[in-house]
């Protein structure tokens, strides 16, 4: 499993630009609204959970102050490369963690939280963090703990949570059938990622004052990760 976790960032570094191309306009539209959550001085403080290789950096507003998290420390060099290509951003912290137990982030310290393609992940990272990262226990096996606990304790009042996730298809569809068939293998090779997570239902159960959510589909149409949700909450 250690070898798989080591090579996963290299696979993602090759694959995420292709994915980014498919959802470029949707990401651009979504993250263009981040500015309205900036603080009184006009500066946005952002926490990105499951930053991966940093494929969202190009969409964040100039001057944004970033805290980035990854459960796998081997993503570090790819993240820093993306950061060097997006010098309009200021990196404040790198943390080895993900999800609802990111307890080293002080309460009420960020204007917005971003999580893209990481709600489906389980807690499969290995061992100790790389030098240069803070250590933190983490996992996304309890989504309600994240939404009601960590999120409310971390974001300033009136702040936002942005999301883009692949999700379970309609239960009567062929896509859902194949998601359930492929799920065990997908979890093993995808660092605990689940094809059939009901992230939309988890969000709808949470008492956010505002939920802006759309279901979209990403090509090609035969892949089990085709169904997505995109949006933000306040």
């Amino acid at each position: 499993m250690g070898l798989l976790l080591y090579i996963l960032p290299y696979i993602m570094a090759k694959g995420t630009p292709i994915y980014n191309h498919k959802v470029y306009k949707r990401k651009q539209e979504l993250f263009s609204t981040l500015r309205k959550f900036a603080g009184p001085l006009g500066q946005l403080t952002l926490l990105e959970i499951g930053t991966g290789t940093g494929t969202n950096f190009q969409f964040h507003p100039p001057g944004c102050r970033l805290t980035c998290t990854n459960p796998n420390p081997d993503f570090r060099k790819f993240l820093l490369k993306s950061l060097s290509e997006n010098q309009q951003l200021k990196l404040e912290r790198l943390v080895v963690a993900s999800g609802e137990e990111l307890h080293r982030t002080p309460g009420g310290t960020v204007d917005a939280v971003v999580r893209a393609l990481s709600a489906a992940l389980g807690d499969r990272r290995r061992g100790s963090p790389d030098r240069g990262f803070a250590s933190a226990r983490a996992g996304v096996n309890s989504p309600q703990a994240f939404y009601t606990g960590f999120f409310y304790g971390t974001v300033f009042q009136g702040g936002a949570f942005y999301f883009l996730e692949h999700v379970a298809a309609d239960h009567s569809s062929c896509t859902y059938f194949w998601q359930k068939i492929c799920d065990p293998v997908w979890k093993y090779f995808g660092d605990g990622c689940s094809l059939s997570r009901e992230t939309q239902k988890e969000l709808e159960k949470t008492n956010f004052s505002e939920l802006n959510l759309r279901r979209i589909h990403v090509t090609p149409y035969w892949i089990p990760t085709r169904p997505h949700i995109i949006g933000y909450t306040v």
Side-chain angles (χ1 to χ4, degrees):
M1 196 63 202
L3 177 61
L4 181 59
L5 288 176
Y6 178 77
I7 65 173
L8 182 63
Y10 293 87
I11 297 171
M12 296 293 289
K14 294 293 185 182
T16 49
I18 299 171
Y19 174 82
N20 236 21
H21 178 73
K22 294 177 184 295
V23 296
Y24 183 87
K25 289 184 178 179
R26 286 166 173 149
K27 277 191 176 186
Q28 192 175 46
E29 179 184 359
L30 175 67
F31 292 127
S32 68
T33 61
L34 273 170
R35 293 178 182 273
K36 68 181 182 181
F37 297 104
L41 300 178
Q43 189 171 54
L44 182 73
T45 304
L46 184 67
L47 169 65
E48 184 160 345
I49 296 176
T51 310
T53 59
T55 55
N56 293 325
F57 289 171
Q58 62 184 297
F59 303 102
H60 297 334
C64 177
R65 296 165 56 197
L66 276 172
T67 294
C68 296
T69 79
N70 270 317
N72 184 343
D74 292 318
F75 276 103
R76 183 175 189 264
K77 69 176 183 180
F78 299 101
L79 185 153
L80 294 177
K81 180 178 183 295
S82 293
L83 193 68
S84 69
E85 296 167 354
N86 293 274
Q87 297 188 8
Q88 77 277 13
L89 307 178
K90 179 182 179 182
L91 180 66
E92 296 207 320
R93 296 181 69 202
L94 293 171
V95 183
V96 172
S98 66
E100 70 277 0
E101 291 186 13
L102 212 169
H103 60 281
R104 289 181 182 264
T105 302
T109 57
V110 301
D111 301 303
V113 174
V114 170
R115 191 166 74 178
L117 301 183
S118 62
L121 284 173
D123 192 8
R124 291 279 294 278
R125 71 196 184 285
R126 70 167 188 273
S128 59
D130 257 1
R131 186 175 63 181
F133 282 75
S135 174
R137 290 181 303 114
V140 274
N141 290 313
S142 177
Q144 287 303 309
F146 168 76
Y147 298 131
T148 60
F150 165 71
F151 175 75
Y152 283 119
T154 302
V155 180
F156 283 122
Q157 186 175 5
F161 168 53
Y162 281 71
F163 55 87
L164 171 62
E165 305 286 356
H166 67 76
V167 294
D170 184 276
H171 288 197
S172 63
S173 67
C174 291
T175 301
Y176 184 71
F177 171 79
W178 285 112
Q179 284 179 333
K180 297 301 285 186
I181 293 293
C182 298
D183 218 15
V185 175
W186 194 274
K187 285 180 180 179
Y188 182 83
F189 288 102
D191 197 15
C193 177
S194 173
L195 289 169
S196 57
R197 192 141 205 174
E198 303 278 2
T199 307
Q200 179 173 348
K201 292 181 180 179
E202 293 159 1
L203 284 164
E204 289 170 345
K205 288 177 185 176
T206 309
N207 294 322
F208 291 112
S209 59
E210 183 182 342
L211 174 59
N212 300 279
L213 182 150
R214 287 188 297 139
R215 288 188 72 93
I216 62 173
H217 292 87
V218 177
T219 57
Y221 296 113
W222 52 267
I223 60 172
T225 55
R226 180 188 172 215
H228 280 56
I229 57 171
I230 186 172
Y232 67 92
T233 70
V234 179

